[in-house]
Amino acid sequence: MDWAAPAGFDIEYGYLRVNADEFLTVRRALERVEQGYTYPEAAGGTPVAESTLRSLHNDRRDLYFYGEATDDRLQAAVQQLKPLEEPDIPSETTIPEQEIRTIVRDEIRRHQ
């Protein structure tokens, strides 16, 4: 049975290697989900399909945020990324969610 590399990884000479650009694109889209964006909004403007983003968020969130994997092949590959920066996930806040979304969108536009 063939094993496909997850989003953000390539297979080189039989070993998984991090594709940094793709990995960071996926991670940023996942951060946007954590910030309150819907899956379609978070995937918009990226090559990551909404269904892929939803699956990665549900099943592999810790891989992209913290470099933690239960699969030995993935764990070996993400060692290249250590230490990862802390993900941009807001903590509990009293600011209304819509206001947070507006602030985040404005910041993203400002940095694009």
Side-chain angles (χ1 to χ4, degrees):
M1 176 181 184
D2 289 329
W3 189 73
F9 295 85
D10 295 322
I11 298 174
E12 294 178 9
Y13 306 108
Y15 293 94
L16 276 176
R17 299 285 181 236
V18 174
N19 176 326
D21 289 339
E22 187 177 319
F23 184 94
L24 294 174
T25 298
V26 170
R27 183 175 183 195
R28 184 66 190 126
L30 289 170
E31 286 177 342
R32 292 178 74 189
V33 170
E34 293 289 325
Q35 293 167 345
Y37 286 79
T38 64
Y39 289 105
E41 289 170 336
T46 74
V48 182
E50 175 189 342
S51 59
T52 300
L53 186 59
R54 184 180 308 274
S55 176
L56 294 174
H57 186 257
N58 291 334
D59 300 332
R60 293 200 165 145
R61 180 180 174 278
D62 288 346
L63 172 65
Y64 294 93
F65 287 159
Y66 308 109
E68 297 173 1
T70 55
D71 183 291
D72 291 340
R73 297 168 290 190
L74 284 172
Q75 191 62 54
V78 294
Q79 292 305 312
Q80 302 171 50
L81 297 172
K82 298 269 180 166
L84 285 171
E85 291 182 20
E86 287 297 313
D88 187 12
I89 300 171
S91 59
E92 293 300 318
T93 181
T94 59
I95 299 173
E97 182 177 337
Q98 191 57 41
E99 188 174 336
I100 292 171
R101 286 183 183 199
T102 300
I103 292 167
V104 170
R105 285 183 185 136
D106 289 347
E107 282 298 306
I108 289 170
R109 285 186 190 125
R110 190 167 68 85
H111 292 289
Q112 290 179 337

